[in-house]
Amino acid sequence: MTAGDNDATPQSGTADDSTHTPSTEVDSGHVKAAPVIKAFGGIRPMATKLGVPVSTVQGWKQRDAIPSSRMAEIEAAAKANDVVLEPVTEAEAVDAAPAAKPPPRT
């Protein structure tokens, strides 16, 4: 096995990712959580509609980031429960992006 053998990450689901709203992306792997949780009516209602533990949604809220791998599941629950997910503006996405860590002092 060479170092490059693990570069390709297998993708789950279908090749068509058209249900994901790119404007909600915060960075390469997360979506801003606050507006999504608010659209569902809060932490507990969102957890109930997704069928996940409240602590899962609470963690997303604390980090203000939802893994983009969860968005298909969230969008399906939103559709099933008549929840309207609004796209996040670019300014909001920048605010939610994790801050760069300063270089260590030497």
Side-chain angles (χ1 to χ4, degrees):
M1 181 180 266
T2 65
D5 288 344
N6 289 329
D7 290 346
T9 303
Q11 299 293 321
S12 61
T14 63
D16 180 16
D17 197 21
S18 61
T19 59
H20 181 69
T21 307
S23 60
T24 62
E25 283 197 24
V26 172
D27 61 27
S28 62
H30 296 89
V31 175
K32 187 169 173 69
V36 176
I37 294 170
K38 183 178 179 181
F40 274 91
I43 294 171
R44 192 169 301 277
M46 183 173 180
T48 300
K49 290 170 183 160
L50 286 172
V52 300
V54 172
S55 60
T56 299
V57 180
Q58 186 172 17
W60 297 340
K61 183 176 181 177
Q62 289 172 342
R63 291 182 298 277
D64 198 18
I66 298 172
S68 58
S69 61
R70 293 279 201 152
M71 285 311 295
E73 168 187 5
I74 290 168
E75 289 169 348
K79 186 176 181 179
N81 291 282
D82 296 321
V83 173
V84 177
L85 297 178
E86 298 294 330
V88 176
T89 66
E90 289 297 317
E92 290 171 325
V94 169
D95 289 342
K101 292 181 181 178
R105 293 185 181 183
T106 57

